[in-house]
Amino acid sequence: DAKTTQPPSMDCAEGRAANLPCNHSTISGNEYVYWYRQIHSQGPQYIIHGLKNNETNEMASLIITEDRKSSTLILPHATLRDTAVYYCIVSSQTGANNLFFGTGTRLTVIP
Amino acid sequence: NAGVTQTPKFQVLKTGQSMTLQCAQDMNHEYMSWYRQDPGMGLRLIHYSVGAGITDQGEVPNGYNVSRSTTEDFPLRLLSAAPSQTSVYFCASSSFRVGYEQYFGPGTRLTVT
């Protein structure tokens, strides 16, 4: 599976959009981009995933560049509860139960 | 649904002891996985299973055994605990029916002295 590169930390003001970038320049054609987050020491929580089209759900939006070498997770109105470590992972769907988690981006939402 | 449950929540072992971490899910998911997370690190895959009777090794399998006799349960056995196995252990399950989204348990915090 392809590896990803994320900034180690980011800050975001409460109520503003949080844009978390991810580079995955070696992604293969059948690999999806998954985003998970981990709040404090809890188990990771699934956020969203996509192949090549932009995706949106009740939690976030995922923007994938046309060449699929990078993506951005957008939390449209960040709250203090969104403070967490966010992991960007690329994987084929059949490998999605054995994901490679890097160190992620620690997002801090500031009041 | 209870989702993914793990027991115990906390455990302290002495070097050389063995134990089993329990994981169960009630969502009829075919896939289950075990990860460990060391302080300040991301999760690393230990073992995973694509269905009852089928298991495979992940990134860090040494010192651990698994079995999958039922769809619901996926226990992780530490054969002879070592201080290097001090970590937080997470179990997860997923299914093609939910786009392979993984559901994680609350974790087991293990300390080996």
Side-chain angles (χ1 to χ4, degrees):
Chain A
D1 290 339
K3 299 296 190 290
T4 64
T5 303
Q6 300 177 251
S9 64
M10 292 181 63
D11 292 338
C12 177
E14 188 178 17
R16 304 298 292 268
N19 296 283
L20 291 90
C22 180
N23 287 325
H24 32 79
S25 58
T26 60
I27 191 170
S28 301
N30 67 338
E31 288 181 319
Y32 286 70
V33 181
Y34 290 84
W35 283 85
Y36 285 77
R37 72 180 182 183
Q38 187 173 25
I39 296 173
H40 196 45
S41 301
Q42 299 175 19
Q45 176 190 24
Y46 166 84
I47 301 173
I48 198 167
H49 76 282
L51 183 62
K52 53 184 178 181
N53 296 324
N54 298 337
E55 302 287 344
T56 296
N57 63 20
E58 65 279 2
M59 288 182 68
S61 294
L62 174 60
I63 308 298
I64 303 174
T65 58
E66 192 169 342
D67 63 8
R68 302 211 319 125
K69 293 185 177 182
S70 65
S71 60
T72 302
L73 178 75
I74 301 172
L75 307 178
H77 304 287
T79 71
L80 298 179
R81 285 193 295 268
D82 292 321
T83 292
V85 178
Y86 287 77
Y87 297 98
C88 169
I89 304 162
V90 293
S91 175
S92 62
Q93 275 209 321
T94 55
N97 65 312
N98 54 346
L99 299 177
F100 178 83
F101 285 77
T103 52
T105 295
R106 181 173 297 278
L107 175 69
T108 302
V109 180
I110 302 168
Chain B
N1 286 353
V4 179
T5 57
Q6 293 184 237
T7 56
K9 286 185 168 48
F10 301 94
Q11 183 69 50
V12 179
L13 290 179
K14 294 187 187 307
T15 298
Q17 288 184 316
S18 63
M19 79 160 294
T20 298
L21 308 186
Q22 301 292 345
C23 174
Q25 53 94 6
D26 61 357
M27 297 171 283
N28 200 30
H29 286 174
E30 59 271 24
Y31 301 109
M32 296 186 75
S33 307
W34 275 104
Y35 294 85
R36 61 176 285 176
Q37 185 173 33
D38 299 332
M41 305 288 288
L43 282 72
R44 291 186 293 170
L45 182 70
I46 305 172
H47 286 284
Y48 64 98
S49 169
V50 300
I54 306 170
T55 63
D56 206 345
Q57 296 181 349
E59 183 186 356
V60 288
N62 292 341
Y64 307 95
N65 274 357
V66 291
S67 60
R68 184 99 180 268
S69 56
T70 67
T71 299
E72 294 78 20
D73 300 298
F74 191 42
L76 178 72
R77 297 183 189 84
L78 279 70
L79 308 173
S80 177
S84 60
Q85 293 179 304
T86 294
S87 191
V88 181
Y89 292 83
F90 291 102
C91 179
S93 73
S94 63
S95 170
F96 74 94
R97 289 178 276 109
V98 290
Y100 300 99
E101 164 191 344
Q102 288 204 56
Y103 292 77
F104 283 82
T108 294
R109 283 151 182 77
L110 175 68
T111 301
V112 183
T113 61

